[in-house]
Amino acid sequence: MGKNKLKKFAEMEQLPNVFQFPFAALRENGFPLKGHWNSDYFHNDNPIVLELGCGRGEYTVGLAERIAAKNYIGVDIKGARMWAGAKHAALAGLGNVAFLRTNIELIDSFFAPGEVSEIWITFPDPQMKKVRKRLTSTRFLELYRHVLVHDGIVHLKTDSPFLYTYTDELVRLNGFDVEINTADLYHSGCDDEILGIKTYYEQQWLDRGLAIKYIKFHLDADTQLQEPDIEIEHDTYRSFSRGYIQKMITPPEGE
């Protein structure tokens, strides 16, 4: 492991807005803030919003900076990425931000039923070959139900035509209440200060001329969830690594 990563991990241990809870301790004693995030960490009664797979935490921090009346928690397993957002939030004194380093599959170990009001899923891996790993699959929606309020809101923002088509069909099949559904966010008239927050990778996709897709829907607590049974064309541009894409869109020095 590189020195830079080790330095970030060491800093993460000291940041007051970061929670890294070993699985052994979780299994033995549970997570002490479960059901008590508002009273014991945020010290208010504002709604709690999760960003799942938050990466660098750009969306988590961007939301917190724009809407002080909500509390935001970025969730990811990769601490070296999360470090950037966590440090920025700490230095900026953002009291409505926290970061949780864990697998998304474990979120119901960290949040009580109804403790979360909204979930953001921003630019996840579309998992074109593995339905169970898609963050909008019925497997994960059932998990979100464990922590969301009744009719809680789920936001999906993605560059992937595959994941958008899959989620669009899943939402339609299950009859969810949809507030916004667009295959081209920035030409839809729906974008605003919140939807206009752009992550590092989102800007790369935009620079390549890719349309950003967005779905906002309510996840009820009662529907028997059904998986779509449709053939969806795979994304082709995913054959390039994100590092390669960065080289493609960064002009040579001096230009």
Side-chain angles (χ1 to χ4, degrees):
M1 184 181 292
K3 289 183 179 179
N4 193 37
K5 273 193 175 182
L6 290 173
K7 182 181 176 183
K8 288 178 180 179
F9 285 137
E11 282 193 46
M12 289 271 285
E13 293 289 343
Q14 304 303 317
L15 288 171
N17 58 1
V18 174
F19 295 88
Q20 305 182 86
F21 212 70
F23 181 72
L26 182 66
R27 182 176 55 187
E28 185 174 345
N29 302 312
F31 183 63
L33 285 180
K34 180 177 179 179
H36 305 286
W37 281 93
N38 283 111
S39 61
D40 294 357
Y41 178 77
F42 292 113
H43 306 296
N44 60 46
D45 294 323
N46 295 337
I48 292 175
V49 181
L50 305 184
E51 184 194 2
L52 302 181
C54 68
R56 299 178 179 206
E58 296 146 297
Y59 228 91
T60 300
V61 171
L63 288 166
E65 289 174 331
R66 289 161 176 78
I67 307 178
K70 293 183 180 181
N71 300 317
Y72 295 92
I73 303 173
V75 180
D76 207 305
I77 192 60
K78 298 194 175 176
R81 293 182 188 175
M82 185 186 290
W83 167 87
K87 187 168 184 179
H88 175 90
L91 291 174
L94 292 173
N96 62 333
V97 178
F99 288 88
L100 176 63
R101 187 180 176 200
T102 188
N103 287 305
I104 293 170
E105 290 91 338
L106 296 176
I107 60 168
D108 60 347
S109 296
F110 293 91
F111 300 95
E115 193 169 16
V116 175
S117 66
E118 298 180 42
I119 288 175
W120 281 84
I121 305 168
T122 52
F123 302 94
D125 187 325
Q127 296 290 349
M128 290 179 283
K129 295 182 179 179
K130 300 177 181 178
V131 175
R132 285 178 53 80
K133 289 193 174 184
R134 292 175 203 156
L135 292 187
T136 56
S137 69
T138 57
R139 174 192 175 213
F140 277 97
L141 292 183
E142 197 62 65
L143 179 61
Y144 306 156
R145 280 176 164 176
H146 294 171
V147 301
L148 275 171
V149 298
H150 179 70
D151 268 355
I153 295 172
V154 177
H155 308 258
L156 170 69
K157 200 176 183 189
T158 181
D159 57 283
S160 166
F162 178 92
L163 185 61
Y164 170 74
T165 301
Y166 166 80
T167 306
D168 175 50
E169 180 61 21
L170 183 145
V171 165
R172 185 200 63 76
L173 178 64
N174 288 282
F176 296 141
D177 179 18
V178 178
E179 288 194 29
I180 303 175
N181 186 343
T182 174
D184 191 353
L185 175 61
Y186 297 117
H187 291 92
S188 68
C190 297
D191 61 307
D192 54 20
E193 185 183 17
I194 300 303
L195 292 174
I197 298 171
K198 295 180 179 67
T199 67
Y200 173 80
Y201 286 117
E202 178 178 359
Q203 191 58 57
Q204 289 189 356
W205 304 134
L206 288 168
D207 290 344
R208 291 186 66 200
L210 298 173
I212 303 303
K213 299 94 171 59
Y214 173 68
I215 302 179
K216 177 183 180 181
F217 64 94
H218 292 260
L219 181 60
D220 66 61
D222 306 316
T223 306
Q224 173 116 19
L225 298 177
Q226 302 178 66
E227 276 288 344
D229 184 17
I230 57 170
E231 292 292 327
I232 305 174
E233 184 178 352
H234 282 202
D235 302 334
T236 55
Y237 63 91
R238 291 276 171 174
S239 58
F240 298 114
S241 72
R242 292 193 170 192
Y244 182 75
I245 292 167
Q246 175 68 5
K247 291 179 184 177
M248 289 170 57
I249 66 173
T250 302
E253 195 172 329
E255 288 191 7

